[in-house]
Amino acid sequence: MAHPPPRAGARRAAGALVTLVLGALAAGVVAPPSDAGVPSEPATVVVYRPPVEGVRAPTRAFEAPPEPWAAGHRGVDLPAPAGARVLAPADGVVTFAGPVAGRGVVTVLHPDGRRSSLEPLTPAVTAGDRVRAGDTLGTAADGGHCVGTCVHWGVREGERYVDPWALLPGAGPVVLLPLRRGEP
């Protein structure tokens, strides 16, 4: 038995429904079906540490700019005398080690995709070197923007700068969880 051809109104309604669903998917209003039960790649967990030993707090904190092009402080300044060891804040691969605008800079790409840049320092590593958290990247040098000597530590996720100090264990946001019945 042959089915009659769809009417024009039904075709328009079906087309409108497809357009509506595709628009909702693109806008993130409706999630596509999940692959329930299909194992996914685990998130890469990277443990960060201060890149200068003994530092308990930055001398200047991170100040996110109101707009990407506006003024701000895109990292933290850590007290460090000239010659102090500057350490890898986490495991990674050195992607740059050399001068930028007359200052020594080392950039490390971490397994979570973030990039740490430290300056001013005299590099002890070269691009391509694999480093572990706590390995020496170089020594603190004069020529930074601090009064006295400091090491500036900046971290980027893509092209967006994030607060490096917030990446340290115990330094991120506090999350309160509800109590279970019977808990004090």
Side-chain angles (χ1 to χ4, degrees):
M1 174 173 192
H3 296 285
R7 295 188 325 232
R11 282 193 303 262
R12 277 194 301 273
L17 180 61
V18 168
T19 301
L20 180 67
V21 170
L22 290 176
L25 282 170
V29 175
V30 178
S34 68
D35 295 330
V38 176
S40 63
E41 291 290 319
T44 302
V45 177
V46 175
V47 178
Y48 288 84
R49 53 158 295 145
V52 178
E53 289 179 327
V55 173
R56 301 285 176 245
T59 55
R60 183 171 175 198
F62 177 80
E63 298 167 28
E67 298 293 335
W69 45 262
H73 190 240
R74 292 165 172 82
V76 294
D77 292 340
L78 307 174
R85 289 180 347 136
V86 179
L87 312 172
D91 296 351
V93 176
V94 175
T95 59
F96 180 82
V100 173
R103 298 182 195 160
V105 177
V106 171
T107 301
V108 178
L109 174 62
H110 305 293
D112 60 4
R114 292 183 180 114
R115 291 172 288 166
S116 288
S117 290
L118 299 121
E119 65 165 290
L121 56 85
T122 302
V125 292
T126 58
D129 288 351
R130 291 196 169 277
V131 293
R132 307 280 297 165
D135 286 352
T136 300
L137 298 176
T139 55
D142 290 324
H145 59 264
C146 297
V147 174
T149 307
C150 73
V151 170
H152 178 84
W153 176 27
V155 175
R156 288 183 288 171
E157 290 177 347
E159 294 305 313
R160 185 176 67 92
Y161 283 88
V162 297
D163 183 356
W165 207 252
L167 300 175
L168 301 176
V174 174
V175 178
L176 299 176
L177 301 174
L179 293 174
R180 294 187 194 128
R181 288 185 187 246
E183 288 183 340

